[in-house]
Every structure is written in C-alpha cells, then in structure tokens.
Amino acid sequence: MSKVRQQLSDVRLVRGDLLDQGSLISAVERVQPDEVYNLAAISYVPMSWSQAELTGEVTGLGVLRVLEAIRVCSGISASRTPGRGQIRFYQASSSEMFGQVRESPQTEGTAFHPRSPYGVAKVYGHFLTQNYRESYGMYAVSGILFNHESPRRGAEFVSRKVSLAAAKIKLGLDRQLRLGNLSASRDWGFAGDYVRAMQLMLVQEQPEDYVIGTGVTHTVQSLVERAFEVAGLNWRDHVVCDAAFIRPAEVDQLCADASKARQRLGWEPATKFEDLVTMMVESDLELLSAPGGLADDSFGHDVW
Ligand code: G4F
C-alpha cells in the first residue's frame, strides 16, 4: 500500500455542514478533538459577487457556528464559566482582508479594507475568532495567510489555471490561455510550508494571530512568464486578455511581513516562487501525459 493510501486509510470522515449548527455540535461531541482547523469556505473570490449571501453564510457565519460548537461542547457558558479542557481552534483568515492596502508590506496590525464579499466575510470570521478568545478565554487564533498554492490547487485559481494551460499547450492539447488582470501582484507561497505554520500556531503558550507569507510579490504576468518558460514556450504566443475575468473591484497588490511568525514561531517559507511554479507546471505535464490524465473534465474550466 502506498504511503498516501496508508495515511488516507487512517483518516475517519465525520459529516458536518457549516450551514447547520446541530451537525457541527454533533461532530465535535463525537470526535472530542484537541484541535479544530476551520479551512472551509467559499474561497473563490469571483464567486463571492455572484453568490454574496451564500458567501456570508458559509465563509462568515460558518466561523460563528464552529466556534459555538466548540464553546458548547467545552461546557463554556455564555457567562464565561470555565469549561472542560480546551479545544484549540484555528481560523483560516486571508490576506484578502487587506484588500486596498493601507501600507506595504502588511502586518498583523495593518488595517483591513476588503474588496469583495469574500474579503468582508473573512473580516467577520477574523474578528469573531478574536472576540471568542477575549470573551471566553478560548485558545482561538487566526492565521492571516497570503496566497498559497500547490499542484493540488483548484483549476479556477490563477496559479493552477496557468500551470495547466502551459502544460496543455506544450502537449498540443490546447492553444490559448484567456486571463484577466495581468498586473495584479500577489505574495505566492507553497501550501505545504503554510500548513506547517498553522500547526505551529496551535502549540504556543498564548493564542495569537499571525501573518504568513514570503515577503516577495510577483505580478500575474511574471507567474505566466515563469510557467511558460518552464514548459519551453513563449507566453506572448498564447495568452489573451479577456475582460470577462476582470473583477468588479480588484486587490492590486499584496505583500506579507511575516516577521512575527519568524520570531515567535521560528517559521520560514522553504519554497521560492520560481520553484513553486516549476513544481506546478512539471506536475501538470506529468498528470496530463499519464493515461486518463484528462479524465477530470473540470481541468482548465473557470467557474465564474
Ligand atoms: O488566484 P486568484 O483567484 O486568487 P485570489 O483572488 O488572490 O484569492 C486567493 O488567495 C486568497 C489569499 O489572499 C484566499 F483568501 C482566496 O481564498 C484565494 O485562495 O487570483 C489572483 C489574482 C487576482 O488579482 C486576479 O484578478 O490573479 C488575477 N487573475 C488574472 N486573471 C485571475 C485571472 N484570477 C483567476 N482566478 N482567473 C483569471 O483568469
């Protein structure tokens, strides 16, 4: 049995729905966890304009429901009677909360100015996590994570859309890549490095929030240039700008100052942008070259 299969067979799935308070209480009661990581959300920013209410329910109020499930199952009453033991809670906050940035790079103290219903919902979840920490003494923290990518990234996000397109064009399976704003900049890191940071945040003496990012920012165009270079292609021969992918309000530039995480958690990103893009393009070339590699028809389709 492969290592991944072995690990998956150790995983027990328990049903729960962020829209259903009772299901979350049942899940926490049943599992009796030491740690809860809330990574669930409607996370694709453009979808948050077309389904703004659902985004508020899932990405925003969903955080309230998880925190309430932990509070109730820990026996913490609304008047703050001490509970049984402590379930530690991690909330996936997002650099999208900085939106139209007030300063650069962004730290834990930078004011928020979200630019999408998604960003607004994340700000609600962020402050609610802080509020439960202050109101109930819960070990509840937010990681303000900047964009983190890997070969497992969904095909609707720009990094994977680009790596898949470069691989498809290289293999003669496609000819063109249609993109929106090429001049937006993001601080892209490797998801594996960021998961390490999440775990570190839950094993500290004091619960605190942390910014996690590389401190280096690149434009979408440089992402495209790098991906096509890895595939041995000239991006200018294939990339077309399409207004359909321009957002109603854009986050122009994000760049993390993760000094606090470096000093207090001893966390450093291990993967550079160039290596991340190379890893993604090579993985997609391998995937698409394998028999049945194109079986998943969702590859390369933007869900707008
Ligand atoms: O890859 P993206 O869709 O990621 P975005 O919007 O920055 O959000 C991601 O990172 C956040 C962390 O900061 C998470 F909270 C969030 O859940 C998600 O994981 O877009 C990145 C940039 C944007 O500026 C977008 O306008 O790429 C630009 N872009 C240009 N053309 C495109 C495209 N994005 C997508 N998805 N598709 C395009 O064709």
Side-chain angles (χ1 to χ4, degrees):
M1 200 187 285
S2 78
K3 200 173 161 204
V4 173
R5 274 176 170 257
Q6 173 64 52
Q7 285 165 347
L8 284 178
S9 70
D10 292 340
V11 173
R12 200 156 49 92
L13 294 178
V14 175
R15 214 173 275 278
D17 188 331
L18 285 185
L19 299 180
D20 177 8
Q21 182 70 74
S23 73
L24 298 173
I25 292 176
S26 301
V28 174
E29 261 174 358
R30 203 167 145 195
V31 175
Q32 302 276 316
D34 298 315
E35 298 176 349
V36 173
Y37 294 82
N38 179 34
L39 311 186
I42 286 180
S43 65
Y44 183 47
V45 173
M47 188 179 159
S48 77
W49 278 283
S50 55
Q51 291 191 270
E53 184 182 350
L54 185 63
T55 302
E57 279 287 351
V58 174
T59 306
L61 279 173
V63 184
L64 171 71
R65 297 187 188 104
V66 180
L67 281 164
E68 274 294 284
I70 294 172
R71 183 183 70 77
V72 169
C73 295
S74 304
I76 302 170
S77 80
S79 57
R80 208 187 181 202
T81 17
R84 300 182 294 270
Q86 259 211 351
I87 300 172
R88 297 192 165 200
F89 174 72
Y90 173 88
Q91 166 59 15
S93 283
S94 163
S95 55
E96 282 291 306
M97 300 188 305
F98 296 121
Q100 190 154 304
V101 297
R102 302 284 175 87
E103 60 179 358
S104 207
Q106 294 85 51
T107 70
E108 294 77 7
T110 302
F112 299 139
H113 183 153
R115 296 274 282 167
S116 61
Y118 167 82
V120 174
K122 280 286 179 187
V123 171
Y124 173 81
H126 181 82
F127 281 127
L128 198 76
T129 302
Q130 181 184 308
N131 180 259
Y132 270 54
R133 181 166 75 216
E134 293 172 359
S135 303
Y136 302 118
M138 285 168 60
Y139 192 112
V141 303
S142 290
I144 307 175
L145 268 54
F146 283 60
N147 299 51
H148 41 290
E149 319 293 315
S150 87
R152 294 181 184 175
R153 187 57 141 152
E156 66 271 34
F157 297 94
V158 78
S159 61
R160 188 78 194 286
K161 183 174 173 182
V162 169
S163 67
L164 271 168
K168 278 186 179 176
I169 294 168
K170 177 68 179 178
L171 297 172
L173 301 170
D174 209 344
R175 291 164 61 175
Q176 204 182 61
L177 168 61
R178 303 185 82 80
L179 289 174
N181 182 6
L182 293 185
S183 57
S185 295
R186 289 290 182 277
D187 179 336
W188 279 291
F190 173 52
D193 290 339
Y194 290 41
V195 170
R196 213 166 17 88
M198 294 178 199
Q199 289 173 322
L200 286 169
M201 281 180 226
L202 285 200
V203 294
Q204 302 306 306
E205 248 169 55
Q206 295 301 326
E208 287 188 36
D209 303 331
Y210 293 89
V211 156
I212 300 295
T214 70
V216 184
T217 187
H218 296 268
T219 60
V220 173
Q221 182 172 317
S222 50
L223 167 76
V224 171
E225 284 168 10
R226 175 70 185 173
F228 277 67
E229 184 191 326
V230 173
L233 300 165
N234 181 350
W235 71 277
R236 289 187 187 280
D237 296 338
H238 306 283
V239 175
V240 175
C241 286
D242 185 337
F245 297 110
I246 302 286
R247 299 178 180 185
E250 177 64 285
V251 172
D252 294 319
Q253 204 209 19
L254 291 173
C255 186
D257 176 349
S259 312
K260 181 179 170 188
R262 198 166 48 244
Q263 285 155 16
R264 307 255 189 99
L265 305 177
W267 180 82
E268 293 270 7
T271 315
K272 292 201 166 12
F273 169 78
E274 291 74 14
D275 300 332
L276 171 65
V277 181
T278 304
M279 180 201 309
M280 292 180 72
V281 175
E282 286 178 348
S283 165
D284 282 329
L285 280 167
E286 193 181 330
L287 180 72
L288 295 172
S289 306
L294 269 175
D296 182 348
D297 196 35
S298 66
F299 278 169
H301 293 286
D302 246 302
V303 189
W304 209 237

